[in-house]
């Protein structure tokens, strides 16, 4: 009986894995049944049977497949402010999904139990794109957010779901590190409505140290998203002693102003010890306030501090008359003093997506 049970479990796991495997969109076939993934800047070359750094793309007999298509390990209904997106449908709900896998290896990752794990080591359920959209509609969500792990890792699933979402009047949001190659990104931008891109710092030194990656592809992602009309907000996790120098913060703020524009919201996020970076303290509030002042001095109109509930910098203020436009406490929205995207007090146009 025990042998039969073990056999049945093995068959189930095999079928479950097979159902989730889908041919990847971006790769080249090489000699000797090798493949080269072209989705992210790592461009992994894989022998037959190997998986990429992301842990979810595998060479199966000379074909690159995604092991996590429709294999959802996390679903939730979130306030859009949690992404964080402060200028995109404030006060609305978003249906959040994730699979296993990630293109980066961040030592401070808050969701490392799914992002740094192989699909077989994460409990998942099968939800096809049509089912995700149906759940979003049933729960009165204005958008679907691809989040928690790294959506680039489940690119094919995100793309297919986004197409169906648009057909049903639901917007698409990506919460991402931005570590993706230009060609797949440009295709993705045709179905994306908004993106929250989280920077790990503003130098290759920091990126190599904390994420085993490079900064330049992320900056290219930001510029492409802006050019393609995706509503963009930028996060910067401020990590004590690693990326919190005034010089690095100023370089970041000046780059955003020059390349993305002063209307793009910036969120300085408080770091908390996590995963492999537990020896550092949480980011001091004073450090975050210094970052805020640097960004405002660089001319950015909308600067926020994240993971500091109750701080006045959670609110949105009019750049013209300085009055409060959107009141926030944590992820909860209070008063909204906007009239068709304009300041209720002085009629100044506020950048964002409001309906």
């Amino acid at each position: 009986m025990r042998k039969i049970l073990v056999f049945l479990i093995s068959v189930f796991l095999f079928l479950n894995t097979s159902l989730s495997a889908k041919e990847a969109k971006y790769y080249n076939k090489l000699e000797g049944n090798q493949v080269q993934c072209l989705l992210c800047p790592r461009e992994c070359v894989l022998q037959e049977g190997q998986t990429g750094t992301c842990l979810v793309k595998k060479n199966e007999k000379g074909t690159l497949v995604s092991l996590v298509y429709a294999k959802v390990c996390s679903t939730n209904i979130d306030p859009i402010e949690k992404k964080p997106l402060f200028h995109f449908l404030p006060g609305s709900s978003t249906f959040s999904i994730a699979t296993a896998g990630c293109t980066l290896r961040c030592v401070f990752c808050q969701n490392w139990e799914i992002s740094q794990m192989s699909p077989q080591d994460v409990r998942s359920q099968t939800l096809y794109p049509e089912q995700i959209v149906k759940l979003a509609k049933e729960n009165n969500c204005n958008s679907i957010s691809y989040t928690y792990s790294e959506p680039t890792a489940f690119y094919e699933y995100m793309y297919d779901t986004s197409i169906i979402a648009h057909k049903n009047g639901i917007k698409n949001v990506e919460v991402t590190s931005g570590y993706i190659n230009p060609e797949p990104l440009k295709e993705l931008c045709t179905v994306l409505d908004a993106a929250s891109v989280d920077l790990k710092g503003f130098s290759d030194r920091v990126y190599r140290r904390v994420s085993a990656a490079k900064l330049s592809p992320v900056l290219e992602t930001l510029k492409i998203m802006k050019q393609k009309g995706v509503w963009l907000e930028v996060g910067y996790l401020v990590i004590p002693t690693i990326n919190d120098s005034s010089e690095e913060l100023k370089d970041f703020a000046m780059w955003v102003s020059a390349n993305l524009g002063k209307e793009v919201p910036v969120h300085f996020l408080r770091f908390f010890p996590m995963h492999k970076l537990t020896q550092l303290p949480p980011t001091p509030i004073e450090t975050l306030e210094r970052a805020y002042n640097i960004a405002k001095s660089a001319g950015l109109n909308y600067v926020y501090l994240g993971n500091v509930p109750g701080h006045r910098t959670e609110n949105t203020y009019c750049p013209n008359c300085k009055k409060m436009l959107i009141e926030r406490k944590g992820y909860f929205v209070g008063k909204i003093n906007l009239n068709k995207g304009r300041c209720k007090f002085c009629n100044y146009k506020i950048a964002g997506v409001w309906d």
Side-chain angles (χ1 to χ4, degrees):
M1 178 63 73
R2 188 173 186 278
K3 288 183 178 179
I4 294 174
L5 181 61
V6 170
F7 172 75
L8 290 173
I9 291 173
S10 298
V11 170
F12 171 78
L13 291 173
F14 171 77
L15 290 174
N16 203 35
T17 301
S18 298
L19 284 170
S20 65
K22 181 182 176 76
E23 185 173 5
K25 287 178 69 72
Y26 288 93
Y27 75 101
N28 282 335
K29 294 193 174 190
L30 307 177
E31 292 182 358
N33 262 10
Q34 293 184 103
V35 298
Q36 183 174 27
C37 182
L38 301 176
L39 182 58
C40 95
R42 296 188 187 280
E43 298 191 344
C44 297
V45 175
L46 305 175
Q47 305 288 338
E48 189 173 337
Q50 285 187 325
T51 55
T53 302
C54 65
L55 303 176
V56 300
K57 290 291 196 296
K58 184 179 181 180
N59 180 349
E60 290 191 349
K61 299 179 180 180
T63 298
L64 185 67
V65 299
S66 168
L67 300 177
V68 290
Y69 190 90
K71 303 304 294 182
V72 179
C73 65
S74 183
T75 63
N76 201 25
I77 299 169
D78 291 322
I80 195 68
E81 286 74 20
K82 188 177 181 180
K83 299 305 127 187
L85 286 171
F86 281 11
H87 289 235
F88 184 83
L89 305 179
S92 68
S93 296
T94 185
F95 193 81
S96 299
I97 65 171
T99 75
C102 185
T103 54
L104 298 187
R105 285 294 171 266
C106 297
V107 294
F108 49 76
C109 183
Q110 292 185 331
N111 295 317
W112 64 271
E113 295 96 334
I114 61 174
S115 68
Q116 311 291 311
M117 296 291 181
S118 299
Q120 62 267 27
D121 296 324
V122 176
R123 182 176 296 177
S124 301
Q125 61 178 321
T126 301
L127 289 171
Y128 289 101
E130 297 85 353
Q131 293 172 290
I132 293 296
V133 174
K134 184 173 183 288
L135 286 168
K137 292 180 71 174
E138 289 175 349
N139 288 281
N140 299 313
C141 293
N142 299 80
S143 61
I144 296 171
S145 287
Y146 311 93
T147 181
Y148 301 143
S149 57
E150 172 49 56
T152 298
F154 57 94
Y155 180 95
E156 294 79 11
Y157 182 41
M158 171 173 53
Y159 182 79
D160 289 352
T161 304
S162 296
I163 291 175
I164 298 171
H166 269 183
K167 290 178 180 178
N168 285 268
I170 296 174
K171 297 184 185 297
N172 296 298
V173 172
E174 186 186 20
V175 182
T176 177
S177 68
Y179 212 63
I180 184 172
N181 277 336
E183 186 178 352
L185 173 62
K186 289 174 183 177
E187 183 177 22
L188 182 63
C189 285
T190 64
V191 292
L192 275 186
D193 298 284
S196 174
V197 182
D198 183 29
L199 270 71
K200 320 303 178 183
F202 204 70
S203 69
D204 274 334
R205 174 188 59 82
V206 170
Y207 262 80
R208 285 194 300 269
R209 178 178 176 183
V210 302
S211 300
K214 299 179 291 185
L215 172 62
S216 56
V218 181
L219 301 184
E220 184 65 17
T221 288
L222 289 168
K223 290 191 286 187
I224 289 172
M225 284 182 164
K226 179 69 175 178
Q227 291 165 0
K228 295 298 181 180
V230 176
W231 176 253
L232 181 64
E233 301 194 24
V234 184
Y236 185 109
L237 185 67
V238 183
I239 310 172
T241 73
I242 291 181
N243 66 2
D244 63 343
S245 71
S246 294
E247 181 181 6
E248 190 162 350
L249 293 168
K250 182 179 179 181
D251 287 345
F252 162 70
M254 295 297 290
W255 186 91
V256 170
S257 180
N259 293 274
L260 306 180
K262 64 180 183 178
E263 300 287 275
V264 170
V266 165
H267 302 256
F268 289 109
L269 307 172
R270 192 181 191 194
F271 162 85
F272 289 98
M274 188 66 67
H275 192 29
K276 298 178 180 180
L277 205 60
T278 57
Q279 74 278 15
L280 295 179
T283 315
I285 304 300
E286 295 78 10
T287 301
L288 293 170
E289 291 173 338
R290 173 166 52 86
Y292 177 92
N293 291 331
I294 288 172
K296 293 298 286 185
S297 296
L300 301 184
N301 278 343
Y302 307 106
V303 184
Y304 301 99
L305 300 186
N307 302 330
V308 193
H311 200 285
R312 66 175 296 276
T313 55
E314 290 187 308
N315 303 323
T316 297
Y317 299 92
C318 177
N320 186 50
C321 71
K322 313 303 180 187
K323 291 185 179 180
M324 187 174 69
L325 300 178
I326 305 176
E327 178 186 29
R328 300 183 186 87
K329 292 183 180 178
Y331 301 135
F332 300 98
V333 174
K335 296 178 182 178
I336 299 180
N337 293 315
L338 288 173
N339 182 17
K340 296 182 180 180
R342 292 183 175 273
C343 173
K344 183 178 177 181
F345 307 104
C346 72
N347 204 40
Y348 184 87
K349 186 177 181 180
I350 307 301
V353 177
W354 309 113
D355 53 36

